[in-house]
Amino acid sequence: MSKYGIEFKQRNNNGIPEIYIPWTVIKKYDYILSKVIEWLKQTMNNPEKSERMRSLARIWLDRLNIK
Amino acid sequence: MLNEETDQAINSLPTYTNINAVWAKCRRRRGCLAISEITNDHIKKDIFNALIEVHERINNYNISEVADNVANQLRDFVKSLNELIDIDDNTQNAISYDAEKLIHMINEIKEKWLKTYINDADNTVKDALTGRRKVYVVKSKYGSLFLKIRGRLVSIEIEIKNNRKSITAQVYLKGLGTETLEIPDILNLSDGELRDLRLGFRAGDGTIYKEKPAMKTRQIWQLILWALLYPGEDKTAIRSLGFTRKGISITWFIYSNSHRETIKSKYEAFKELEKNPTPLSLLTLILSDGSIDLKRKGIKISAGLGSYKELNNALTRLMTLLRINNRISVKDDGAGIMYWNSNAVILARYIVYNLPNKLRLILDLLERKLSLDKWNRLKTLASMSTGRRHGSSQIEIYGIRFSVLLTDKTIQLRAWCGKKCNINELIIH
């Protein structure tokens, strides 16, 4: 990730080290943001996803002003 | 029960300054010792508000409806049980006799509450509000306040949770007896199966009393299921009534006179669970301390702020076994181990599809007749899609697969790797 200049963060989750990209970073990189938007669109229309996930995806797409 | 005099007493209460609240040191069954007067106005207001709320609950909640409902449910359950499973007349009679004893206890508590205890409970709280009776207060390690007030026939314990919004009250009643139940063995489970089922309860609501396995519960289905796991002589009593936001509830205490409890503490139970996280143990643990959210596809196993880490450790092996993940939720009023989406569905399937038939039949009956809704929700969750087949929850960025964490507040992309993988490999990728 370093070579692409992504500002990821590190933490421990139940003893398992993980890296994560926070929203403040996601929104700065068009490439990552487009991937997230694509995922949100798929999630919103996916009947296999829980009602809560679909609703959250819809809320986020509205927030991002994506039709 | 609120009469004019009481109304006047409450209405004429000047302020929280009237209450006589003291920090105290309390010991189980040995009462409380006052240490110092509480002078903090915020704390006194919280105590005062809690007393007002409890006073209202004591006077407004209707025990008759609750008691009659439980008694009818019990009769209905026994009738259906006798039809459902193949048992001889003697066993049927024993079960009916036990049920009638429980119903007798329910009716007795209803009558005594309405005749005697409610007046004493009402007066006790009223006296506490006006400062005529001392309120002993203990602050827990995690910020909750426990109030104890002694009355003539009752003693009242109120918990004000750390967030100061949630209040629960327990009214302990003096002078009530114990009933002996002769519980027949109708489950016909192996020793190992019984041990596993008991372990889940022990890690949940179970406790130990005079070296015997015991449990305190507000749920009639839990009393019945627990008793069936300890066939032989069981002693049961109603020692208190619970007054929560939702209503009044009878709190049962039961212990087995025929069995010894070998697991001395909750931590020992967690250790045992860690060694062998069987579907049976997880069933009774979740029925005891779990909650199931079908809308959000989640299972939460609640734990105290002092024990959630140990419980989480106890469940680590299970997570490796089922390849599922969890998250720990810590709030002011308690903690919990949470399983979401496919993780929750996989856990539910592990439990629901690995139970002995007869136990399933009994659980179904407890669900239908004694409101064991949690079992219904667990079965429904098990039948849901894991959501893994269609549409992933992952996004690939520069060759790394990230899981998406989506909440109403944030979106995060997370990536981790197994034990043999070095996290630095992801970083320099």
Side-chain angles (χ1 to χ4, degrees), chain B residues 178 248 250 264 327:
Chain B
T178 304
I248 189 170
I250 294 167
K264 302 292 177 201
R327 292 217 151 236

Side-chain angles (χ1 to χ4, degrees), chain A residues 1 19 21 48-49 60 63, chain B residues 385 393 408 413 415 427 429:
Chain A
M1 297 298 294
I19 57 171
I21 307 175
E48 290 287 322
K49 293 283 182 192
W60 272 95
R63 272 185 207 163
Chain B
S385 157
S393 281
D408 56 348
L413 300 176
I427 297 166
H429 183 83

Side-chain angles (χ1 to χ4, degrees), chain B residues 75-85 365 369:
Chain B
R75 283 207 177 92
D76 204 15
F77 170 78
V78 170
K79 195 176 157 211
S80 303
L81 181 69
N82 290 339
E83 289 163 7
L84 180 79
I85 53 174
L365 191 63
K369 303 295 179 187

